[in-house]
Amino acid sequence: MSANSKKVILPPATIVIVGGGQLGQMMALSAKSMGYKVGVLDPTPQAPAAQVADFQITADYQDQGALMDLVKRSDVLTYEFENVDEAALNAATQYAQLPQGTALLHITGNRLNEKQFLHDHGIPVTPFAPVTDQQTLNFAINRVGTPAILKTVSGGYDGHGQTDLNQPAVTAEALALLQHPCILEARQEFRTEVSMMVTRSANGVVTTFPLVENRHQHHILHTTIAPANVRPVVHAAAAKIAVSIANALGLRGVLGIEFFVLPDDSLLVNELAPRPHNSGHYTIEACNISQFEAHIRSICGLPIPPIVQRTPAVMRNLLGADLTLAREQLVDHPEWHFHDYGKAEIKPQRKMGHITVLNEDLDAALATLADLKGER
């Protein structure tokens, strides 16, 4: 991180977002509400973020020329997903600040780097081993044991790029993954999955959001319940780990941390996300500032207030045709905070939008979404 990354960047400065998806869209909306101008780099014309931004350059993420054209019109640069070309971002820093740096991407964009970083900093993770071929896979199985999960070290998301190994025998699915570098992780019997968003100001002040419970279907986040229904000791332990990770990374922006809660209430860190996270969408309506405003404040050098969740909340993802169903039911649900990302094409299992419901009674909040029985 360069020294000038601590410089305060005030409106109406221009923020460039690499990536034009829904996370970029919600970043842009927060930035625009604060008076910033926003540019977007994305290969899809009229991508969700571009629909609410001041301008878009339509080009591939690896197109350094396009990125340079964009950053020359900007003051600060950020990204909405992990798989961004580090060399291109480093070259762009001659024109605009990149407060998050590229070390964060190097760590979190590679599952092996991420697990090793966490292990080296004393953060609890599941046993793991690197895999590059069948011989190292056999070694990893002997070291980690089974059941285990074989994952590609980069590129996979929402259950893609991974396969279960329930027995020591190597499966055809596992061999197919070995075309790419992989990591073998011991599969954990956990009680629930939780996550926490954390941010850190330019002055090094770390601020955590509430711990939330995540429920998945087909490896995709389906529902987030905020706050998580776990013992206070688990909330405290998660916050302590989040602060340690944020400081170890020299974090700027926001970071999503996914945890497994084990039967004894101990925590393992499963994954890191170097950006706003799906499980933090509830913060838009439920907290004094959203994860997206916190991200903008952090990268622009503005102070971040302590986070207060005003009301318990449930967030429900709208996947594929869920969006159409939700639109039709809007007339019957004034309590829904409905978000449509504006994607051009509805595809199965694609995140098309989300709904947040605020209610002191979380069971009642879940019940109001019970009739939304789209994709499963």
Side-chain angles (χ1 to χ4, degrees):
M1 187 182 302
S2 65
N4 73 347
S5 66
K6 293 188 176 182
K7 177 184 175 184
V8 177
I9 300 169
L10 297 173
T14 299
I15 300 169
V16 160
I17 304 170
V18 180
Q22 64 267 19
L23 297 178
Q25 182 185 74
M26 288 178 272
M27 279 186 206
L29 287 168
S30 282
K32 291 293 293 176
S33 73
M34 297 170 70
Y36 291 98
K37 292 182 172 61
V38 177
V40 172
L41 174 67
D42 194 278
T44 303
Q46 278 298 293
Q51 294 170 27
V52 298
D54 294 280
F55 57 92
Q56 174 185 5
I57 288 186
T58 305
D60 189 81
Y61 301 124
Q62 317 304 321
D63 187 333
Q64 287 202 24
L67 180 60
M68 292 306 165
D69 289 343
L70 192 62
V71 297
K72 287 175 183 177
R73 302 167 62 182
S74 72
D75 299 284
V76 64
L77 180 64
T78 189
Y79 40 80
E80 66 139 19
F81 65 102
E82 291 88 324
N83 300 311
V84 186
D85 185 73
E86 292 177 34
L89 288 179
N90 280 324
T93 58
Q94 63 183 301
Y95 300 108
Q97 291 188 43
L98 179 64
Q100 293 159 278
T102 55
L104 178 63
L105 283 177
H106 184 75
I107 293 167
T108 60
N110 180 293
R111 290 189 173 97
L112 184 58
N113 291 349
E114 182 175 282
K115 283 290 191 298
Q116 194 63 54
F117 171 86
L118 293 168
H119 179 268
D120 291 347
H121 286 85
I123 306 297
V125 295
T126 193
F128 66 95
V131 174
T132 54
D133 53 29
Q134 187 168 355
Q135 182 178 357
T136 55
L137 176 57
N138 289 330
F139 175 81
I141 291 171
N142 289 331
R143 176 177 164 186
V144 171
T146 56
I149 306 173
L150 183 68
K151 303 177 180 179
T152 56
V153 297
S154 61
Y157 65 96
D158 289 344
H160 300 288
Q162 65 182 58
T163 187
D164 291 333
L165 283 172
N166 297 316
Q167 304 292 333
V170 176
T171 64
E173 292 80 7
L175 290 174
L177 284 186
L178 296 184
Q179 299 175 56
H180 311 281
C182 292
I183 180 174
L184 188 72
E185 301 177 0
R187 193 165 75 218
Q188 294 291 331
E189 294 297 326
F190 54 89
R191 195 169 71 245
T192 189
E193 294 183 53
V194 295
S195 62
M196 177 174 280
M197 303 306 301
V198 61
T199 187
R200 183 173 175 273
S201 72
N203 294 327
V205 178
V206 178
T207 304
T208 59
F209 284 81
L211 187 69
V212 301
E213 177 185 345
N214 297 319
R215 298 178 181 178
H216 293 76
Q217 291 186 8
H218 308 299
H219 301 286
I220 302 174
L221 181 63
H222 185 270
T223 305
T224 292
I225 299 170
N229 183 24
V230 293
R231 293 173 58 209
V233 66
V234 180
H235 288 268
K240 183 177 180 181
I241 290 172
V243 171
S244 295
I245 293 173
N247 282 327
L249 289 169
L251 179 68
R252 293 288 297 279
V254 297
L255 178 81
I257 307 173
E258 297 180 2
F259 301 89
F260 294 143
V261 183
L262 302 186
D264 64 356
D265 276 341
S266 62
L267 290 170
L268 293 179
V269 173
N270 179 37
E271 289 185 354
L272 304 179
R275 42 152 175 89
H277 189 262
N278 197 173
S279 67
H281 291 349
Y282 76 96
T283 62
I284 297 171
E285 287 86 18
C287 295
N288 57 322
I289 69 167
S290 72
Q291 62 167 341
F292 301 101
E293 182 176 341
H295 183 84
I296 298 301
R297 283 176 170 269
S298 178
I299 64 171
C300 291
L302 297 172
I304 302 163
I307 303 301
V308 177
Q309 184 177 350
R310 300 189 181 106
T311 310
V314 171
M315 188 283 301
R316 161 74 150 82
N317 265 334
L318 299 174
L319 303 175
D322 287 350
L323 178 67
T324 302
L325 186 60
R327 286 171 176 165
E328 294 169 351
Q329 294 186 12
L330 263 180
V331 67
D332 299 317
H333 290 282
E335 75 281 9
W336 284 2
H337 294 273
F338 176 74
H339 297 257
D340 183 336
Y341 302 149
K343 294 184 178 179
E345 184 179 358
I346 293 177
K347 297 179 181 179
Q349 302 300 313
R350 188 183 195 190
K351 293 170 184 168
M352 303 299 301
H354 73 268
I355 293 170
T356 299
V357 178
L358 307 181
N359 198 317
E360 293 291 340
D361 184 340
L362 285 171
D363 288 335
L366 287 165
T368 191
L369 296 165
D371 290 335
L372 190 60
K373 296 178 179 178
E375 294 203 7
R376 288 290 184 269

